[in-house]
Amino acid sequence: MKLRKIANRLSALLLTLCCAMTLGSCKVTETATTTTSIPGKNTIQPAVLTQEESNLLELLDVQQPMLFDFSVEGASSYRVEIFTLQDGAWQPSGGSTSPIDEPDLRGRIALTFGKDGRFAGIAFQDEDGVSRISQDPETSAFLSHASTSVADPIEIVLDEPIALWAYYGEQEAAASTTAYFPDHALQNPQEIQSDFAQLITITFAAAG
């Protein structure tokens, strides 16, 4: 009986994590409270897994996704966009918009990556369930790469994009890479000298 209870607990945790990690389509009825700190009003911040969830990830031997928790009021939707640097400017290369039906919303965003550190997919979890974006694997590979992400809580300003993650790839192993933080990369794409760069942003739209 004790073994069965442990197995059931692991199954429940696995279901919650799989919604974020494997970008599944499972349905949830309420937001999971799995962080040690809950974001304040109109804030997005890196999520913190509980020790139990971290242990489960180690047990499954899977790469930990990059998780962000958010809390927002007065928004009608949120849009996550993927940008690729071309000729010194960010060009959209994918994205997804999710409506917000509640006056205030709490949710979680999970970014997943391939073995080379490049973006592989994104999942959104809120009161309505889980949605996802996946990206086809790139055929080109880089001999060196670097990435940066948001490390501190950020205030959400409606209709203004927030840069969450940036990736820089170099075709030569000896090439020097300047890995700008996402907010700097968003505002100053002309400064980026890498052979390849990618950026992920989220924008919460004000209710019209």
Side-chain angles (χ1 to χ4, degrees):
M1 181 64 69
K2 184 176 182 181
L3 181 60
R4 179 175 295 179
K5 288 183 179 179
I6 294 175
N8 289 340
R9 180 60 176 159
L10 284 173
S11 297
L13 280 171
L14 179 59
L15 177 62
T16 302
L17 288 172
C18 280
C19 287
M21 293 188 301
T22 63
L23 310 182
S25 58
C26 51
K27 181 70 175 179
V28 295
T29 56
E30 58 183 275
T31 303
T33 55
T34 56
T35 63
T36 57
S37 58
I38 298 175
K41 182 176 68 175
N42 288 335
T43 300
I44 186 168
Q45 66 185 40
V48 180
L49 291 178
T50 64
Q51 185 61 50
E52 192 171 18
E53 290 173 328
S54 297
N55 292 341
L56 180 60
L57 285 172
E58 293 181 6
L59 179 66
L60 296 173
D61 192 25
V62 296
Q63 181 181 5
Q64 180 173 325
M66 186 176 295
L67 301 171
F68 300 94
D69 286 335
F70 66 85
S71 176
V72 64
E73 293 183 356
S76 61
S77 65
Y78 61 93
R79 177 168 178 77
V80 172
E81 291 186 275
I82 307 163
F83 295 92
T84 301
L85 189 67
Q86 296 180 6
D87 299 323
W90 292 115
Q91 301 297 332
S93 55
S96 176
T97 300
S98 299
I100 297 178
D101 300 323
E102 303 295 330
D104 58 85
L105 177 71
R106 284 181 178 173
R108 170 168 287 187
I109 301 169
L111 306 181
T112 60
F113 308 94
K115 293 182 179 180
D116 61 352
R118 300 179 71 173
F119 172 73
I122 185 169
F124 319 92
Q125 182 180 0
D126 55 33
E127 287 90 341
D128 294 327
V130 175
S131 58
R132 65 189 178 91
I133 302 174
S134 59
Q135 178 169 287
D136 293 332
E138 297 284 347
T139 56
S140 58
F142 299 104
L143 296 180
S144 63
H145 66 269
S147 63
T148 59
S149 63
V150 168
D152 299 308
I154 294 179
E155 179 185 3
I156 295 172
V157 179
L158 299 181
D159 296 324
E160 292 189 10
I162 298 172
L164 298 176
W165 173 84
Y167 176 93
Y168 308 92
E170 306 294 347
Q171 295 177 346
E172 298 182 5
S176 176
T177 300
T178 300
Y180 296 103
F181 283 104
D183 56 345
H184 186 91
L186 174 63
Q187 299 297 331
N188 303 278
Q190 73 283 353
E191 296 182 8
I192 300 172
Q193 301 298 317
S194 297
D195 296 321
F196 176 86
Q198 200 167 52
L199 186 75
I200 294 178
T201 69
I202 184 169
T203 305
F204 294 87

